[in-house]
Amino acid sequence: MQNGSSEFEGTELWAEDGPRSILALFSNVQKAHEAGLAVLAAGSVYWVFPYEGQYALVVKSDEVVQLKRELA
């Protein structure tokens, strides 16, 4: 991935509306939200959370594969 992100597999978070997964990690919050624009353009929602000194771009788990292609 580009813009200071890195792959992060295997982290699944649970929410009332279903499981969520980290799509990518970014070095700053602005880069995470810029990548989030691709998620929005694909018709999905996203969240950004601080995670281990970086920022996690989080999406619904069932959309991860499709959205990874959008970010590529």
Side-chain angles (χ1 to χ4, degrees), residues 22-61:
I22 295 175
L23 180 61
L25 294 174
F26 294 87
S27 59
N28 66 57
V29 71
Q30 180 179 347
K31 289 179 181 180
H33 283 291
E34 286 173 2
L37 294 175
V39 174
L40 293 176
S44 299
V45 296
Y46 75 93
W47 299 265
V48 173
F49 298 103
Y51 183 81
E52 295 184 355
Q54 295 185 307
Y55 293 89
L57 178 62
V58 176
V59 297
K60 292 181 180 179
S61 293

Side-chain angles (χ1 to χ4, degrees), residues 1-9 22-27 54:
M1 303 219 173
Q2 301 173 358
N3 297 329
S5 68
S6 61
E7 292 284 332
F8 190 84
E9 303 284 340
I22 295 175
L23 180 61
L25 294 174
F26 294 87
S27 59
Q54 295 185 307

